[in-house]
Amino acid sequence: MHVVSDNAVLSLKKDSAQAVTIAVSSRAIFDLEEEHELFLAEGMGNYTSHQIAHENEPLAEGTALPFIRAVQMVNEKLLENNPEEKQLFDIILVSNNNAQSGLRIINSIKHYGLHITRFCFLNGIDPSKYLQSYNVKLFLSANESAVCSALKRGIPAALVIQQDVQTAAEQLRVVLRDCVLFSDESENVYREKGLDEVIKYEKDREHIPIGEGPLKAFAMILGNMKKKFPREKDPICTYLLTSRSGRDMGVRAIKTLRDWGLEVDQAFFLDGAPKDPILAQIRPHIFFDDSTHHIRGALASGTPAGYIPPCDKS
């Protein structure tokens, strides 16, 4: 179990402007599915009574908890590398609970040794406006409407689906499918005109960087952190996973990463082949995608997934 040292806390307090703030919902970090069903069936009153009655019983681990542990491990490595480091992850817990029912969540945070000190118990209120105030760089939630609200405000966000996960421990491992790293311009051409036309489109624009996707900014943050370590001591490993053919459509993607100054550790151009076997080998802490098909495949392989839903932009 990784616990961020007091030095990390001091560094965050000294210069929070440089901190990389991640907001995570209580249902993403803990398994609250039974309690959520109780809330839906019987309302807030009975839900609150249940949580108060069980407030000294730790909640079970949720899908995003190993990711948060790995993030805290990265903080430790950053401070070992440079005790004056300011660019550290800062975790905020955001919850639809009220303060009374939230005490069980606070106790569970302590039980797992997580260094989360900021809590927002919003009693069902949309959290997105508060996320902007905290300059959140990534929001993970089990509530799709909250994720969509955040995305509409320009906050990188993903829907976390509860499941048992098998993850690696020695590094923070993040897999990004090209559709969340890059814009959907090529995907739109493919849907409208087919494979031959999108191949031509990509070849004609090999020297023009692809537009930015919803998680490009977060990927850049990880990339900048990675540059602070020699390769053999890097606590972060990033992966690009794409259905693109490496021969026909990979050149533009690689040149775009080069133009951005973003290096990924491994890139898989699968030309439409299944992604599940690769994910099962990588065992990432999270896999980001905007396709329900690929998300289902990831879940079937025990991979924790962050789904970027097709929110109505109106």
Side-chain angles (χ1 to χ4, degrees), residues 189-206:
V189 174
Y190 172 72
R191 289 174 180 170
E192 294 173 8
K193 299 182 179 180
L195 181 60
D196 290 341
E197 283 299 315
V198 75
I199 290 174
K200 182 178 182 300
Y201 179 89
E202 288 288 285
K203 287 184 175 179
D204 289 345
R205 291 163 178 77
E206 281 184 358

Side-chain angles (χ1 to χ4, degrees), residues 181-182 209-210 216 219-220 240 250-264 266-267 269:
L181 189 57
F182 305 131
I210 307 170
K216 185 255 187 172
M220 293 297 296
L240 172 64
V251 173
R252 190 181 182 205
I254 292 170
K255 287 186 175 181
T256 297
L257 295 178
R258 183 185 299 165
D259 183 79
W260 290 351
L262 176 61
E263 293 186 12
V264 295
Q266 298 177 35
F269 295 88

Side-chain angles (χ1 to χ4, degrees), residues 18-314:
Q18 292 189 41
V20 179
T21 304
I22 297 176
V24 60
S25 77
S26 53
R27 282 179 57 210
I29 199 171
F30 297 120
D31 185 350
L32 279 158
E33 295 311 295
E34 289 187 10
E35 287 80 0
H36 184 62
E37 291 299 321
L38 174 65
F39 166 73
L40 294 176
E42 302 184 20
M44 178 60 79
N46 285 345
Y47 169 84
T48 299
S49 297
H50 173 85
Q51 292 295 72
I52 291 174
H54 296 274
E55 65 185 24
N56 293 316
E57 300 174 16
L59 293 159
E61 293 191 22
T63 301
L65 196 146
F67 171 78
I68 297 303
R69 280 200 183 114
V71 160
Q72 293 185 170
M73 176 274 296
V74 172
N75 276 355
E76 293 177 355
K77 298 299 183 182
L78 284 164
L79 288 169
E80 288 174 9
N81 187 58
N82 176 14
E84 300 301 317
E85 180 64 61
K86 301 297 190 299
Q87 189 186 36
L88 299 165
F89 289 108
D90 185 18
I91 311 300
I92 299 175
L93 188 132
V94 178
S95 175
N96 281 331
N97 284 258
N98 56 34
Q100 290 298 320
S101 61
L103 188 54
R104 189 181 185 191
I105 294 167
I106 294 175
N107 289 338
S108 297
I109 292 289
K110 293 178 181 178
H111 170 80
Y112 289 106
L114 302 178
H115 206 287
I116 299 175
T117 59
R118 285 195 281 177
F119 298 80
C120 301
F121 295 116
L122 301 178
N123 201 17
I125 300 299
D126 174 20
S128 60
K129 63 180 179 180
Y130 298 107
L131 301 181
Q132 279 192 318
S133 300
Y134 283 118
N135 194 25
V136 166
K137 303 301 184 184
L138 179 67
F139 175 45
L140 300 177
S141 174
N143 185 313
E144 185 167 344
S145 64
V147 169
C148 283
S149 293
L151 288 169
K152 290 175 183 178
R153 290 177 181 265
I155 299 166
L159 179 69
V160 173
I161 301 165
Q162 195 61 246
Q163 66 163 132
D164 293 328
V165 298
Q166 299 288 331
T167 58
E170 69 276 12
Q171 289 176 304
L172 169 61
R173 297 190 175 187
V174 178
V175 180
L176 301 116
R177 192 160 162 254
D178 58 329
C179 56
V180 302
L181 189 57
F182 305 131
S183 72
D184 57 4
E185 59 175 281
S186 299
E187 180 68 18
N188 290 336
V189 174
Y190 172 72
R191 289 174 180 170
E192 294 173 8
K193 299 182 179 180
L195 181 60
D196 290 341
E197 283 299 315
V198 75
I199 290 174
K200 182 178 182 300
Y201 179 89
E202 288 288 285
K203 287 184 175 179
D204 289 345
R205 291 163 178 77
E206 281 184 358
H207 300 290
I208 303 174
I210 307 170
E212 299 179 4
L215 292 187
K216 185 255 187 172
F218 185 69
M220 293 297 296
I221 289 170
L222 296 179
N224 289 335
M225 285 182 169
K226 288 171 61 60
K227 292 175 182 178
K228 299 177 182 183
F229 297 92
R231 184 177 295 274
E232 65 274 10
K233 294 184 178 180
D234 191 349
I236 303 170
C237 197
T238 54
Y239 305 78
L240 172 64
L241 193 60
T242 172
S243 296
R244 291 168 177 254
S245 160
R247 182 193 64 186
D248 297 323
M249 297 176 64
V251 173
R252 190 181 182 205
I254 292 170
K255 287 186 175 181
T256 297
L257 295 178
R258 183 185 299 165
D259 183 79
W260 290 351
L262 176 61
E263 293 186 12
V264 295
D265 291 280
Q266 298 177 35
F268 297 87
F269 295 88
L270 298 181
D271 194 20
K275 297 166 181 59
D276 314 354
I278 299 296
L279 291 172
Q281 289 297 317
I282 295 172
R283 295 174 60 219
H285 290 93
I286 196 160
F287 163 58
F288 291 108
D289 201 342
D290 70 352
S291 162
T292 55
H293 171 73
H294 294 125
I295 291 292
R296 284 194 296 268
L299 297 179
S301 69
T303 301
Y307 172 54
I308 289 71
C311 305
D312 181 8
K313 299 298 192 295
S314 61

